[in-house]
Amino acid sequence: MKDVKQTLLDRVSIRRYERETIPAETMDFIYDAIRNTPTSYNGQQYSVIDIDDQALKEKLYELTNQKQLKTCNRLLIFCSDYNKISLLAKKKGVEMPAFTDTMDGTIIGIIDASLAMMSAVVAAEACGLGCNCVGYLRTVDPKAVAELLKLPKGVFVVCGLALGIPREHPDLKPKQPNGTVFMKNCYCQDSEALTEGLADYDAIVTAYNRTRAGGTSDNDWCAHIVSYYDHAMNYRILDYLKDQGYDIKR
């Protein structure tokens, strides 16, 4: 098993996997790591759908065109989940507030599911597996994904995680430098210095994209990421959340 430093600092996204099955004891370890994730109130406002059915993975691939969904050995879908607590509250006669109608309730479920996914990433990487976070499962066709996964009210997809034995070893992507990420005691007040640091990083990403193994491009960082934001303006996530019982009012 990899040590903590190697696990965290050498992580790369893997999209191509061997056909080899992940050992049961490895999945048990990943499960345990997920279950031990810190959550708000210890409410554990998340659930995980573990998909090993190839036909279902193929259907999700057809929706997303994300090859890692059909080549991975296991696909974990991390969901915000207030259905479970609602079921038990009903059984015990405890009145359940409309917490899913608040922004805070929605955010808490997303945070819990995201933290759980990161626990899975670290556990999988430590065991030598490759993984890839697939946010597109949340946005590509939320209603179709919810129907395929048979999600009840109070549950929605936050992110997917493809797992498998790596079949590729991509170059490590450059990340923002310390100076643009870490700020002392308050948000950086020197906008000019912050912008210059980001511009330097943008140039580093541009150079990386022009020389990286496995396919090059002329993409920079800033305009490329903003183009994703522009595309995402067409998503109708609020409508989807209402369908799933999250009628956010405040």
Side-chain angles (χ1 to χ4, degrees):
M1 184 174 286
K2 298 178 185 176
D3 63 27
V4 173
K5 183 175 181 180
Q6 185 181 15
T7 297
L8 292 174
L9 300 188
D10 291 347
R11 185 209 63 80
V12 294
S13 294
I14 301 295
R15 293 176 173 81
R16 298 176 68 242
Y17 304 93
E18 303 290 355
R19 295 183 181 275
E20 186 178 345
T21 300
I22 299 174
E25 58 270 23
T26 300
M27 288 306 305
D28 287 342
F29 171 62
I30 293 171
Y31 275 13
D32 287 343
I34 291 170
R35 289 174 50 248
N36 198 41
T37 296
T39 63
S40 297
Y41 318 125
N42 192 34
Q44 302 158 71
Q45 289 90 189
Y46 73 94
S47 55
V48 185
I49 300 174
D50 181 1
I51 300 175
D52 61 0
D53 184 299
Q54 187 61 32
L56 179 53
K57 289 190 290 180
E58 294 277 355
K59 289 178 181 177
L60 293 170
Y61 163 72
E62 289 170 6
L63 282 174
T64 63
N65 198 35
Q66 300 285 302
K67 63 184 178 183
Q68 60 270 39
L69 299 185
K70 66 175 181 178
T71 63
C72 67
N73 181 248
R74 304 286 275 269
L75 176 61
L76 305 184
I77 309 292
F78 291 81
C79 302
S80 171
D81 188 349
Y82 287 97
N83 177 61
K84 293 185 293 185
I85 188 71
S86 297
L87 289 174
L88 183 57
K90 182 178 180 180
K91 178 180 176 63
K92 298 189 68 173
V94 176
E95 184 176 353
M96 184 73 180
F99 196 39
T100 53
D101 290 353
T102 69
M103 195 66 216
D104 190 46
T106 305
I107 289 172
I108 282 173
I110 293 170
I111 291 172
D112 283 3
S114 300
L115 288 172
M117 184 176 68
M118 195 61 211
S119 294
V121 168
V122 174
E125 290 281 342
C127 293
L129 298 180
C131 55
N132 180 247
C133 302
V134 188
Y136 200 33
L137 281 167
R138 181 187 69 255
T139 56
V140 60
D141 191 337
K143 186 174 182 179
V145 172
E147 289 175 352
L148 280 173
L149 301 180
K150 302 179 182 178
L151 302 184
K153 298 292 185 183
V155 180
F156 69 87
V157 171
V158 173
C159 198
L161 181 67
L163 297 174
I165 310 299
R167 195 177 182 179
E168 62 179 2
H169 298 282
D171 293 338
L172 188 66
K173 290 181 179 179
K175 301 296 184 180
Q176 287 185 34
N178 286 1
T180 64
V181 177
F182 304 103
M183 304 176 188
K184 285 285 188 179
N185 299 317
C186 67
Y187 197 89
C188 177
Q189 301 299 292
D190 190 342
S191 296
E192 183 175 347
L194 181 58
T195 303
E196 286 304 311
L198 291 169
D200 290 343
Y201 172 68
D202 189 81
I204 290 171
V205 173
T206 301
Y208 164 82
N209 285 331
R210 288 173 177 164
T211 59
R212 67 180 182 178
T216 60
S217 76
D218 290 324
N219 292 333
D220 66 351
W221 177 70
C222 180
H224 187 59
I225 297 303
V226 169
S227 72
Y228 282 123
Y229 299 161
D230 186 59
H231 178 73
M233 295 295 289
N234 297 314
Y235 299 153
R236 302 187 64 84
I237 301 301
L238 190 59
D239 292 341
Y240 165 58
L241 290 178
K242 288 181 178 179
D243 289 342
Q244 292 302 117
Y246 289 71
D247 191 10
I248 302 169
K249 296 182 175 69
R250 54 191 172 90

Short mmCIF file of all heavy atoms in Angstrom, two decimals, residues 21 150 172:
data_model
loop_
_atom_site.label_atom_id
_atom_site.label_comp_id
_atom_site.label_asym_id
_atom_site.label_seq_id
_atom_site.Cartn_x
_atom_site.Cartn_y
_atom_site.Cartn_z
N THR A 21 -10.52 -7.63 -12.19
CA THR A 21 -11.48 -7.30 -11.15
C THR A 21 -10.78 -6.75 -9.90
O THR A 21 -9.71 -7.22 -9.53
CB THR A 21 -12.30 -8.56 -10.76
OG1 THR A 21 -12.98 -9.04 -11.93
CG2 THR A 21 -13.30 -8.24 -9.67
N LYS A 150 -32.94 4.67 -10.07
CA LYS A 150 -34.15 4.52 -9.25
C LYS A 150 -34.06 5.34 -7.96
O LYS A 150 -34.34 4.85 -6.86
CB LYS A 150 -34.39 3.04 -8.94
CG LYS A 150 -34.54 2.17 -10.20
CD LYS A 150 -34.75 0.70 -9.87
CE LYS A 150 -34.85 -0.13 -11.15
NZ LYS A 150 -35.01 -1.58 -10.87
N LEU A 172 1.32 14.20 -14.52
CA LEU A 172 0.73 14.92 -13.40
C LEU A 172 0.43 16.36 -13.84
O LEU A 172 1.31 17.07 -14.30
CB LEU A 172 1.70 14.92 -12.22
CG LEU A 172 1.19 15.48 -10.89
CD1 LEU A 172 0.08 14.61 -10.32
CD2 LEU A 172 2.35 15.58 -9.90
#
